């Protein structure tokens, strides 16, 4: 691990953001793959790592070696190996890899004519879990964490013809990893998101934050960062619809900070982004070498006592939790995101909890466009090794990557640090560390975590110490499923010492779509329907309640869920089955949200 997580930042030197709007070439499509449970392509028979500086060693798979004559011994051949679709998980593409956890090598060959003074980068949307990446035999680096993007520069390595990009993807679960050994979701392996090449000029705009200044709805503030520490680079920032055109100049670090008031001389007013009106403006960044565009919405999000204020007005988060899964496989495309968010809209939601890890960028861009507020989360889930400094570095790195990628999305209102982590001093300091880290990266969003509660004399108590550090007190509770009586649920008492907004980040129960019976029969749609009715009556009366994201939009795969004929490898708490059929409880929640909307709007 020591070698694994720390060099990542050094190698990728910060992410290139807004990748869809750059000069890109897709490497998606069919890749050759070799399944390598013993890591034969990585270690010698005495388990020594092959010399990674020797780009001709015939045994190391990353060299994509081909025998030079008929007598030479070479025991692999990428070009004769089968093909697999990228992006995509390997589990649901290949029947014999359904339960596989380990190493699979991927290879893609490509040609590329890179002109002088141009730079080229290879960018991965995500690889689960660890990726070792090589181009033409040279190691580009390692990335750990299955749900965030990373990139490497390949300017000096790329050739006009027959480049070979090799990825060793390893999804073995590890005690010290994030997440660790135990989760309630499928450990989909492989290159699960887009792979693209990005071409850029010698110096280019790598990253920027452009949003409303905290506490002021008329000031747009932020920073633009170049790829290199070039001083005095002139950048024009314009937002044509608001008649804004600002000249920025970089400092010695290649950064330009800015802050300006909108409408001072023009009388133009910002139309704020909201679920009802998800207005976004075209923002253009221009240098002598480059023009970069992006649609950005402007809105404020803050809390005041128990209220959540969007653009200064109280909102109730009518949410649903979603896993990055569609039709029983890892979701990755725009079409997948559209299907999931269309159901969300149908349900009457203005909010989604993207559980339990950062989802792909398509989802965030679409939520921005359609007007759905988002809770984003890192996979600090259940039991993590809270005492290991490298585990903390890893979690922080994943947080850095998701905030870097999504900080210009108006839809993102909450960064969540963790889910249902067991109480301990080590856990507290781990989470506090994460909260502080998130705040150094972004001061404009709310911070939360899905907590657990306790019960005393029949009263539910929401008092996890970590709540002191959070803006929103969120917790999961499963009344009527893992315990507690449904009949008396509406009269249940809850209390919290925090005068902050409370959000029920999970509640729910399982039902097999199409299975019917009485409201007391587990797994029937009627049981789930009743569970929703009773829980909603209870939640309505909770102190400071300002939102909820019930568990969950659709049934999803989990190796923990083995009950034959009912679960068959799926967590059945979805309001919609994995085949897209709505269950009765869907309509209970839809009804509730309809009334809630009338009350708030
Ligand atoms: C939880 C977890 C979630 C599980 C869910 C369940 O509390 O946060 O990941 O899938 O319960 O269905 O038990």
């Amino acid at each position: 691990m020591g070698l694994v997580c720390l060099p990542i930042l050094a190698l990728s030197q910060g992410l290139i953001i807004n990748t869809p709007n750059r000069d890109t070439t897709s490497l998606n499509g069919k890749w050759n793959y070799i399944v390598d449970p013993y890591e034969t392509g990585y270690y010698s028979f005495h388990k020594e790592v092959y010399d990674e500086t020797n780009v001709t060693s015939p045994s190391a798979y990353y060299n994509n070696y081909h025998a030079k004559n008929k007598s030479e011994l070479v025991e692999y051949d990428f070009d004769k190996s089968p093909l697999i679709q990228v992006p995509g998980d390997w589990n649901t593409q290949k029947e014999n890899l359904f339960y596989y956890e380990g190493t699979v090598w991927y290879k893609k060959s490509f040609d590329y004519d890179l002109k002088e003074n141009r730079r080229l980068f290879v960018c991965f949307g995500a690889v689960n879990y660890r990726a070792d990446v090589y181009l033409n035999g040279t190691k580009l680096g390692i990335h750990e964490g299955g749900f965030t993007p990373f990139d490497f520069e390949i300017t000096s390595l790329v050739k006009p013809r027959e480049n070979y990009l090799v990825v060793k993807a390893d999804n073995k679960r590890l005690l010290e990893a994030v997440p660790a050994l135990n989760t309630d979701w499928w450990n989909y392996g492989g290159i699960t998101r887009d792979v693209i090449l990005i071409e850029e000029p010698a110096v280019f705009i790598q990253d920027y934050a452009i949003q409303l200044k905290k506490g002021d709805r008329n000031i747009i503030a932020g920073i633009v960062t170049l790829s290199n520490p070039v001083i005095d680079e002139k950048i024009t920032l314009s937002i044509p619809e608001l008649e804004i055109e600002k000249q920025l100049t970089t400092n010695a670090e290649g950064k330009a900070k800015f802050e300006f008031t909108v409408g001072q001389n023009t009388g133009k007013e910002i139309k704020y982004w909201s679920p009802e009106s998800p207005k976004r403006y075209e923002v253009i960044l221009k240098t002598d070498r480059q023009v970069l565009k992006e649609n950005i919405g402007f809105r404020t999000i803050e809390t005041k006592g128990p209220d959540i204020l969007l653009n200064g007005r109280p909102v109730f988060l009518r949410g649903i939790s979603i896993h990055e899964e569609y039709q029983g496989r890892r979701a990755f495309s725009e079409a997948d995101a559209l299907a999931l968010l269309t159901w969300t809209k149908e349900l009457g939601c203005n909010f989604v909890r993207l559980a339990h890890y950062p989802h792909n960028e398509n989802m965030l861009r679409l939520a921005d466009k359609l007007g759905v507020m988002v809770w984003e989360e890192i996979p600090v889930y259940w039991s993590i090794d809270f005492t290991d400094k490298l585990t903390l570095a890893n979690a922080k790195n994943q947080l850095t990557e998701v905030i870097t990628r999504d900080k210009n999305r108006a839809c993102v209102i909450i960064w969540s640090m963790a889910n249902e982590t067991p109480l301990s001093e080590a856990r507290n300091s781990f989470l506090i560390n994460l909260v502080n880290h998130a705040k150094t990266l972004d001061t404009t969003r709310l911070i939360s975590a899905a907590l657990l509660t306790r019960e005393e004399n029949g009263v539910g108590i929401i008092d996890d110490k970590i709540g002191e550090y959070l803006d929103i007190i969120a917790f999961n509770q499963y009344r009527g499923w893992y315990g507690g009586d449904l009949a008396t649920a509406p009269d249940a008492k809850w209390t919290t010492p925090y005068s902050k907004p409370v959000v029920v980040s999970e509640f729910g129960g399982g039902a097999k779509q199409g299975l019917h019976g009485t409201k007391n029969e587990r797994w029937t749609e009627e049981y789930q329907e009743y569970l929703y009715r009773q829980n909603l009556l209870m939640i309505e009366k909770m102190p400071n309640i300002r939102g909820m994201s019930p568990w969950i939009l659709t049934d999803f795969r989990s190796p923990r869920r083995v009950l034959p004929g009912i679960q068959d490898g799926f967590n059945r708490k979805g309001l919609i089955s994995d085949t897209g059929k709505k269950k009765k409880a869907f309509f209970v929640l839809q009804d509730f949200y309809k009334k809630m909307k009338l009350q708030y709007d």
Side-chain angles (χ1 to χ4, degrees):
M1 278 289 279
L3 287 172
V4 178
C5 39
L6 294 177
I8 307 166
L9 294 170
L11 282 169
S12 62
Q13 308 209 339
L15 277 176
I16 300 173
I17 68 157
N18 187 14
T19 57
N21 291 313
R22 293 176 186 262
D23 179 358
T24 62
T25 305
S26 173
L27 292 184
N28 290 349
K30 301 284 183 207
W31 291 47
N32 295 98
Y33 75 100
I34 300 174
V35 184
D36 189 15
Y38 291 9
E39 306 201 298
T40 307
Y42 193 68
Y43 297 107
S44 71
F45 71 130
H46 282 163
K47 259 285 182 190
E48 280 154 356
V49 179
Y50 289 126
D51 178 5
E52 291 188 311
T53 60
N54 177 1
V55 298
T56 56
S57 158
S59 307
Y61 289 2
Y62 46 82
N63 285 329
N64 184 33
Y65 192 84
H66 291 89
K68 297 220 164 30
N69 55 57
K70 286 194 171 172
S71 65
E72 197 177 357
L73 173 67
V74 184
E75 292 191 81
Y76 72 98
D77 187 335
F78 267 118
D79 296 318
K80 292 188 178 139
S81 298
L83 295 165
I84 192 163
Q85 184 69 26
V86 169
D89 65 79
W90 66 53
N91 314 71
T92 61
Q93 290 192 62
K94 306 285 167 186
E95 214 174 316
N96 62 348
L97 296 181
F98 188 60
Y99 284 107
Y100 183 69
E101 295 186 305
T103 284
V104 173
W105 295 83
Y106 288 71
K107 194 269 299 176
K108 180 82 172 170
S109 297
F110 65 93
D111 299 338
Y112 201 93
D113 284 311
L114 187 64
K115 302 276 172 317
E116 232 176 282
N117 290 325
R118 302 285 290 173
R119 298 170 70 178
L120 198 66
F121 296 80
V122 59
C123 307
F124 294 84
V127 175
N128 191 34
Y129 167 82
R130 170 177 159 156
D132 291 52
V133 185
Y134 307 82
L135 183 70
N136 301 334
T138 297
K139 187 156 198 170
L140 302 176
I142 297 166
H143 182 265
E144 205 183 317
F147 304 99
T148 43
F150 55 98
D151 53 57
F152 301 106
E153 179 156 16
I154 55 172
T155 307
S156 60
L157 292 170
V158 73
K159 309 176 293 184
R161 301 283 163 266
E162 289 178 25
N163 297 282
Y164 49 94
L165 180 64
V166 174
V167 179
K168 175 182 183 288
D170 182 357
N171 74 334
K172 270 195 293 297
R173 285 169 295 117
L174 304 166
L175 185 68
E176 69 276 17
V178 182
L181 293 172
N182 202 12
T183 66
D184 187 22
W185 71 80
W186 205 270
N187 183 24
Y188 290 114
I191 306 178
T192 51
R193 297 186 189 162
D194 296 330
V195 186
I196 54 174
L197 297 173
I198 297 186
E199 189 180 318
E200 292 290 356
V203 176
F204 63 94
I205 295 163
Q206 178 174 312
D207 189 10
Y208 50 86
I210 302 175
Q211 46 196 294
L212 290 181
K213 188 180 177 180
K214 193 176 167 76
D216 196 320
R217 250 178 288 153
N218 290 311
I219 297 179
I220 293 179
I223 185 167
V224 182
T225 304
L226 297 176
S227 53
N228 304 60
V230 173
I231 194 168
D232 282 341
E233 181 90 347
K234 303 277 176 280
I235 304 170
T236 310
L237 187 167
S238 50
I239 310 177
E241 224 183 308
L242 289 173
E243 289 177 28
I244 285 167
E245 189 166 311
K246 298 283 166 194
Q247 302 305 324
L248 316 178
T249 308
T250 57
N251 64 16
E253 293 177 319
K255 293 177 191 288
K257 280 197 179 172
F258 61 87
E259 188 174 310
F260 52 83
T261 306
V262 177
Q264 239 170 357
N265 308 317
T266 61
K268 289 270 173 195
E269 281 182 11
I270 302 176
K271 293 193 188 102
Y272 299 108
W273 183 99
S274 72
E276 293 72 36
S277 160
K279 171 69 190 163
R280 296 175 305 155
Y281 290 91
E282 185 178 59
V283 176
I284 306 167
L285 292 166
K286 209 165 155 190
T287 67
D288 286 346
R289 321 172 207 241
Q290 175 184 31
V291 179
L292 188 59
K293 297 181 178 176
E294 181 157 38
N295 293 326
I296 297 181
F298 300 104
R299 56 101 194 91
T300 55
I301 189 77
E302 56 206 321
T303 63
K304 193 172 174 204
D307 285 328
I308 302 171
L309 306 177
L310 175 69
N311 300 321
R313 287 187 54 204
V315 280
F316 188 94
L317 305 180
R318 306 187 307 268
I320 190 72
S321 294
I322 304 184
H323 258 299
E324 190 181 46
E325 190 169 302
Y326 183 60
Q327 294 179 336
R329 57 165 173 77
R330 186 52 91 219
F332 56 83
S333 65
E334 264 176 50
D336 295 345
L338 183 61
L340 294 167
L341 290 182
T342 301
W343 279 326
T344 302
K345 285 268 180 184
E346 221 184 309
L347 203 47
C349 295
N350 60 7
F351 173 66
V352 286
R353 176 182 178 207
L354 300 182
H356 280 300
Y357 39 75
H359 288 209
N360 67 81
E361 199 171 343
N362 290 319
M363 192 68 173
L364 279 301
R365 287 187 179 265
L366 196 63
D368 224 34
K369 187 173 164 189
L370 298 180
V372 182
M373 293 180 278
V374 173
W375 155 310
E376 284 211 271
E377 166 168 345
I378 52 169
V380 175
Y381 181 90
W382 290 353
S383 296
I384 294 281
D385 190 350
F386 293 112
T387 59
D388 188 336
K389 285 202 175 66
L390 295 175
T391 304
L392 176 62
N394 182 340
K396 277 168 111 166
N397 186 48
Q398 295 191 40
L399 190 56
T400 304
E401 288 170 340
V402 66
I403 294 179
T404 303
R405 190 191 71 176
D406 293 336
K407 63 184 171 299
N408 292 314
R409 300 280 75 78
C411 64
V412 179
I413 58 162
I414 296 170
W415 302 120
S416 171
M417 305 295 109
N419 180 76
E420 293 185 353
T421 46
L423 305 185
S424 74
E425 276 310 309
R427 170 268 200 183
N428 289 349
S429 71
F430 191 103
L431 295 192
I432 292 166
N433 218 306
L434 287 178
V435 170
N436 291 336
H437 184 60
K439 286 183 176 166
T440 64
L441 297 169
D442 177 16
T443 54
T444 69
R445 307 249 180 2
L446 307 176
I447 308 269
S448 194
L451 307 174
L452 291 164
T453 59
R454 63 193 179 90
E455 204 183 298
E456 238 173 54
N457 306 322
V459 179
I461 305 174
I462 316 151
D463 67 350
D464 187 326
K465 195 167 172 304
I466 217 70
E468 282 172 34
Y469 299 85
L470 306 178
D471 299 308
I472 292 198
I473 307 297
F475 67 97
N476 302 344
Q477 69 80 34
Y478 279 89
R479 178 118 190 174
W481 190 255
Y482 293 125
D485 181 21
L486 274 183
T488 57
D491 305 318
K493 299 272 176 296
W494 289 84
T495 164
T496 179
Y498 300 115
S499 54
K500 299 182 181 186
V502 166
V503 168
V504 177
S505 36
E506 285 178 31
F507 75 90
K512 166 109 170 148
Q513 187 275 323
L515 186 69
H516 295 285
T518 69
K519 66 182 181 5
N520 297 317
E521 279 173 83
R522 285 241 180 201
W523 307 113
T524 62
E525 288 195 36
E526 286 71 18
Y527 188 107
Q528 190 190 38
E529 182 186 37
Y530 180 56
L531 184 147
Y532 265 73
R533 284 194 199 290
Q534 297 297 87
N535 270 270
L536 289 170
L537 288 170
M538 175 178 79
I539 291 167
E540 268 183 327
K541 295 187 203 147
M542 283 179 178
N544 302 349
I545 186 73
R546 292 298 183 273
M548 63 180 84
S549 49
W551 195 252
I552 186 171
L553 184 67
T554 66
D555 291 352
F556 61 96
R557 284 193 199 277
S558 167
R560 299 167 57 85
R561 310 294 177 174
V562 298
L563 186 65
I566 300 286
Q567 293 176 312
D568 300 313
F570 282 87
N571 183 316
R572 294 287 179 206
K573 296 189 189 73
L575 294 175
I576 302 173
S577 73
D578 55 295
T579 56
K581 297 207 171 76
K582 296 184 179 100
K583 307 178 193 172
K584 286 183 147 188
F586 180 96
F587 302 99
V588 176
L589 188 62
Q590 188 184 50
D591 232 45
F592 181 81
Y593 282 163
K594 234 181 247 163
K595 286 180 200 133
M596 188 58 90
K597 188 169 176 348
L598 289 178
Q599 197 177 317
Y600 264 81
D601 292 353

